[in-house]
Amino acid sequence: MAATTSSRSGRRSRPHSGAEIREAFLAFYEARGHRRMASASLVPDDPTVLLTIAGMLPFKPVFLGQTQPPAPRATSSQKCIRTNDIENVGRTARHHTFFEMLGNFSFGDYFKTEAMTWAWELATTVYGLEPGHLVVSVFRDDDEAEAIWRDVVGVDPRRIVRLGEADNFWVSGPTGPCGPCSEIYYDFKPELGVDHLDLEDDNRFIEFYNLVFMQFNRDAEGNLTPLENRNIDTGLGLERMAQILQGVPNNYETDLIYPLIETAATLAGVNYSQLDARGQTSLKVIGDHSRAITQLIADGVTASNLGRGYILRRLLRRVVRHGRLLGITTPFLTAMGEAAIALMVDAYPQLVERRDAIMAELAREEARFLETLERGEKLLAEVLSAGPSQISGEQAFELYDTYGFPLELTEEIAEEHGLAVDLAGFEAAMEAQRQRAKGAAVRLDLTLQGAIEAMAEQLPATEFRGYEALEHPSQVMALVVNGQPSRIARAGDEVQIVLDSTPFYGESGGQIGDRGVLAGGSSGAGPEVGVIVRIEAVSHQRKLIVHHGRIERGELTLGDTVTALVDRSCRRRVQAHHTATHLLQAALKQLVDPSIAQAGSLVDFERLRFDFHCPHPISPEDLERIEERINGWIADAHALEVREMELERARSAGAVAMFGEKYADTVRVVDVPGVSMELCGGTHVANTAEIGLFHIVSESGVAAGIRRIEAVAGPAVLDYLKERDTVVRALGDRFKVQPGEILERVSSLQDELRAASRALAAARSELALARAEALAADALEVGTSRVLVARLDGVEGSALQTAAQQLQERLGPGGAVVLGGLPAPEDPAKLVLVAAFGAEVIAAGPKAGSFIAAVAKRCGGGGGGRPQLAQAGGRDAASLDPALDQARTDLISQLS
């Protein structure tokens, strides 16, 4: 069945819903031996990518040969986020931030013939697309693909288009797996014929299915060699297929997004079909972004100014900003969140499980942004007060990007002040940001970089022996010296070492890596030690544990046997902090809120840091109760039980897992009986009594809805107390009081300082008024008005404003007062101007706000205010006297 473009009234007869399209794809490939895979999280395991930006990303380790495939064939509907073209969202027919990519994958199983035959069968038989509406592209040198389309599938040769490397050759990076690809396009206007087909014509063609034939490996010189196992990676855009089958003019008007547009339109009191292009764009942005923010929060992302948290914050603020453009003045993000959950819950049931967290994050972030918008308005006022000739593109872009301040609103306010906005500069700043985003996000880097990572291909996994021993004989399996692979290292060299087995814990799960030494050499760890390697850090790189350090003595050669010795003191410290972290989470759940969940942690030798989801600060009383509860558990001397078990069994037993963390089928469970049970691979004390003491150092907010507690435990408590005792003793000596009297003494000094500051401010104000009173006699009679223009240095802005106001009142309704001066004569770059006009002066024409703005402009500044009272600033002290002289002349002229 051919799809046709139709009007809004034709929506009721659409042939397939988005849910039906998704299920038809998965069922089609499931019937052909593909294992159906659930969508992975938008927060990927891959540390090189912020978000899941492609359907194949969860299978990246399989394509690289780092992990075994889940099955020879797989199919999935993967949720994705891309923001590199965010400014096109709502403006084009098919740009999105959130989208679903339907894919079928072969890991060394079938190849081109099956992939192409099935893709055509799916498109024409399952989705019912007429072959006359389809066009395929192939790589210019891929004769095999063209022959399969033509001779096996039966595609009209006139509808096969060869394209270059930029369009039809997929690469993972400068080196690594790559191969040609073939794409299937839908032709909305087949009546135009097949001569000179231009697949870049978005009005006629839409690409909906991309087949990647991963068959080569590219080396550093650009040479291509065939892969031993050839792979298939495909992607079919759900939203694009919905547009085709539902016969609507763009992806936004499909049932995957349009219900959200209708929700937003209702909240704004508008009708989508009756809006102009700008209004429809705002509704499309709200509909698109509402899906994205809901799914991001559901996958554990919280708004912040860094990384994926910044992406979430930016999307949230764009929704609010476009809502304001449509006239929505009250908070509405939670309403959009509810609508998004209702729309997507059948495909993603976890949205209901995370509903409370989603709603809380939306409400908090919207409230924060509304405050930010107010700050943006104040910033714009500061920009205007400086008296610029125009609003620069950089300033307008900062308001837009940092504060979410609409460009249209910046232009409107600037126009009120007789200024223009540098739109070309704004677009240049916008384009620079787009290029930065594309450079960071448009490609997946699948290359293996770094010497150790390259070695990992040839080395077996490092065996960790640190749970049962802190000293262990090991063999050197890999050696990197100053960043380069080497067979030998000498005294002074910076090294990275991989051992066959090690007692050193590699940094992971928030716990810092162990410290210690490697001792021995080719002759082993005998009485005459041949080499000493000081290990300063230990990390994980894929399956290897990497020891970072420096050769202090002797030589180390590849293949040597060494004795790995963990620093016992450091290990005891980190064990105390790690077990205390588990106790802290348990206490928070018991005493504050059972729904509290970990958002991150750091366990090192000096302290512990625990981040957790909580919408409000923890009160001092609760912190004291938490500390008491934890020290009680320590005193109770609970023996820890550590065991391995199946993941589902551990969860059934009540073990706490970090949200969004990926776990193996068999997990390690750390149990403090009756207190805490968590999935954890870290090192711990054998008994809580070994911790000794626990003390909370601070509690603070680190992001919207994220709180942080920092604490010390075990030997680190003594270090903390010694430092505090030193400070208290020094303060006692300084103030000549006992430690218990320090707080009272500091409070007394603060009261004295505040009283002195108030007295000084009052004295300055009285001095300004006294000096101003002396000026009253200099007022000039101008008809029925009295004009006074004078300079008063050494007076702050508020005092100068008070002086001008009182002078005007003394001069009566016809009084016009303008005062200017340098508050701090030593700072000639800052001057203040004020104007106070009586009612008769205002009636005659002059207004204080516009008048003082003109005076300030002559001084390199700007400002304004009400008709009766206004204040401005300037930067050019040398122009102050001429500006005041001109102000006097202008007032006399206007009032004569």
Side-chain angles (χ1 to χ4, degrees), residues 743-758:
L743 181 59
E744 182 180 349
R745 179 60 177 144
V746 171
S747 297
S748 175
L749 290 173
Q750 287 178 321
D751 291 340
E752 292 174 12
L753 180 59
R754 282 192 289 267
S757 296
R758 286 194 296 268

Side-chain angles (χ1 to χ4, degrees), residues 775-852:
L775 296 173
D778 297 331
L780 302 176
E781 300 284 347
V782 182
T784 59
S785 300
R786 300 182 69 188
V787 174
L788 175 61
V789 179
R791 176 169 178 167
L792 274 179
D793 290 332
V795 181
E796 292 292 336
S798 59
L800 194 66
Q801 190 176 111
T802 300
Q805 196 169 11
Q806 291 198 6
L807 275 173
Q808 183 273 312
E809 291 173 355
R810 180 173 175 180
L811 296 178
V817 178
V818 176
L819 301 178
L822 300 175
E826 67 276 8
D827 182 10
K830 179 182 178 182
L831 57 88
V832 178
L833 295 154
V834 296
F837 292 174
E840 293 179 2
V841 175
I842 296 171
K847 307 291 188 295
S850 57
F851 188 86
I852 204 66

Side-chain angles (χ1 to χ4, degrees), residues 290-346:
S290 293
R291 298 199 306 167
I293 60 180
T294 303
Q295 292 280 8
L296 281 170
I297 299 171
D299 281 347
V301 180
T302 55
S304 69
N305 290 326
L306 294 173
R308 57 182 68 97
Y310 172 74
I311 292 174
L312 172 61
R313 173 162 286 170
R314 189 178 183 205
L315 294 174
L316 282 161
R317 294 185 170 188
R318 280 174 60 87
V319 174
V320 176
R321 184 169 61 84
H322 280 278
R324 287 168 71 93
L325 291 176
L326 289 167
I328 303 176
T329 58
T330 57
F332 72 104
L333 278 186
T334 54
M336 295 308 305
E338 293 281 13
I341 291 174
L343 183 64
M344 299 185 289
V345 67
D346 289 342

Side-chain angles (χ1 to χ4, degrees), residues 17 44 157 386 405 458 498 519 533 562 595 603 732 775 848:
S17 69
F405 211 70
Q458 312 300 324
V498 177
V533 185
V562 295
S595 68
V603 177
L775 296 173

Side-chain angles (χ1 to χ4, degrees), residues 512-577:
I512 196 169
D514 282 325
R515 293 176 184 169
V517 297
L518 305 180
S522 58
S523 60
E528 299 296 329
V529 177
V531 63
I532 294 291
V533 185
R534 180 68 57 186
I535 301 302
E536 298 164 348
V538 185
S539 66
H540 277 278
Q541 291 198 30
R542 285 167 47 193
K543 60 185 178 180
L544 304 180
I545 298 176
V546 184
H547 306 71
H548 305 255
R550 176 187 292 272
I551 306 290
E552 290 191 347
R553 190 174 88 187
E555 294 183 354
L556 185 68
T557 304
L558 196 65
D560 280 354
T561 297
V562 295
T563 298
L565 300 157
V566 174
D567 185 314
R568 294 176 182 272
S569 174
C570 288
R571 172 66 78 86
R572 282 195 296 270
R573 282 172 167 262
V574 82
Q575 286 180 163
H577 280 139

Side-chain angles (χ1 to χ4, degrees), residues 73-397:
R73 305 174 180 182
T75 184
S76 67
S77 178
Q78 177 61 49
K79 55 186 179 181
C80 304
I81 291 278
R82 289 185 193 172
T83 58
N84 50 299
D85 284 320
I86 192 171
E87 293 306 321
N88 287 325
V89 172
R91 300 181 186 278
T92 68
R94 51 195 75 113
H95 272 98
H96 299 293
T97 55
F98 176 86
F99 59 95
E100 291 184 68
M101 189 62 70
L102 304 170
N104 57 287
F105 307 92
S106 168
F107 310 112
D109 187 8
Y110 63 84
F111 201 51
K112 288 183 183 178
T113 300
E114 295 89 341
M116 297 161 74
T117 302
W118 287 336
W120 190 263
E121 181 184 355
L122 175 75
T124 58
T125 303
V126 177
Y127 293 144
L129 304 180
E130 291 288 349
H133 279 265
L134 301 181
V135 175
V136 297
S137 68
V138 296
F139 179 53
R140 66 187 175 213
D141 299 331
D142 196 352
D143 297 333
E144 179 187 13
E146 182 174 17
I148 293 172
W149 281 125
R150 182 187 64 238
D151 303 332
V152 178
V153 178
V155 176
D156 183 344
R158 297 173 301 169
R159 288 189 163 270
I160 303 175
V161 179
R162 291 200 182 218
L163 296 176
E165 188 167 346
D167 297 295
N168 277 66
F169 195 89
W170 182 88
V171 295
S172 62
T175 63
C178 59
C181 57
S182 181
E183 297 167 329
I184 307 179
Y185 292 77
Y186 187 80
D187 183 357
F188 289 103
K189 302 174 182 178
E191 67 275 8
L192 296 179
V194 293
D195 295 332
H196 310 295
L197 294 174
D198 180 9
L199 297 181
E200 293 186 3
D201 182 356
D202 288 342
N203 292 320
R204 178 175 177 181
F205 298 103
I206 178 174
E207 175 217 330
F208 65 85
Y209 208 166
N210 184 18
L211 314 177
V212 175
F213 312 126
M214 204 179 298
Q215 65 187 93
F216 299 115
N217 183 70
R218 175 180 280 171
D219 62 22
E221 285 72 42
N223 300 314
L224 299 178
T225 55
L227 290 172
E228 181 178 352
N229 292 317
R230 301 180 301 179
N231 303 311
I232 290 293
D233 158 29
T234 79
L236 184 148
L238 176 62
E239 289 78 10
R240 296 188 177 196
M241 183 55 71
Q243 179 195 342
I244 295 169
L245 294 182
Q246 294 174 16
V248 292
N250 56 68
N251 294 0
Y252 299 94
E253 296 185 40
T254 67
D255 68 340
L256 294 166
I257 303 176
Y258 192 71
L260 298 175
I261 289 177
E262 291 182 312
T263 298
T266 300
L267 292 169
V270 298
N271 186 309
Y272 173 81
S273 62
Q274 296 176 1
L275 288 175
D276 59 14
R278 177 178 294 185
Q280 289 190 349
T281 294
S282 288
L283 284 174
K284 291 174 183 176
V285 169
I286 294 172
D288 170 87
H289 289 9
S290 293
R291 298 199 306 167
I293 60 180
T294 303
Q295 292 280 8
L296 281 170
I297 299 171
D299 281 347
V301 180
T302 55
S304 69
N305 290 326
L306 294 173
R308 57 182 68 97
Y310 172 74
I311 292 174
L312 172 61
R313 173 162 286 170
R314 189 178 183 205
L315 294 174
L316 282 161
R317 294 185 170 188
R318 280 174 60 87
V319 174
V320 176
R321 184 169 61 84
H322 280 278
R324 287 168 71 93
L325 291 176
L326 289 167
I328 303 176
T329 58
T330 57
F332 72 104
L333 278 186
T334 54
M336 295 308 305
E338 293 281 13
I341 291 174
L343 183 64
M344 299 185 289
V345 67
D346 289 342
Y348 302 100
Q350 64 268 32
L351 291 172
V352 172
E353 300 171 13
R354 294 281 291 166
R355 180 190 172 280
D356 290 346
I358 293 169
M359 294 300 109
E361 181 71 5
L362 292 175
R364 282 194 299 268
E365 190 61 19
E366 184 168 22
R368 289 168 64 92
F369 181 44
L370 293 176
E371 295 176 1
T372 300
L373 270 178
E374 293 181 8
R375 291 197 295 272
E377 291 169 348
K378 291 179 180 178
L379 177 61
L380 180 55
E382 291 176 10
V383 170
L384 293 169
S385 69
S389 57
Q390 68 172 357
I391 305 297
S392 72
E394 291 78 7
Q395 290 169 328
F397 183 72

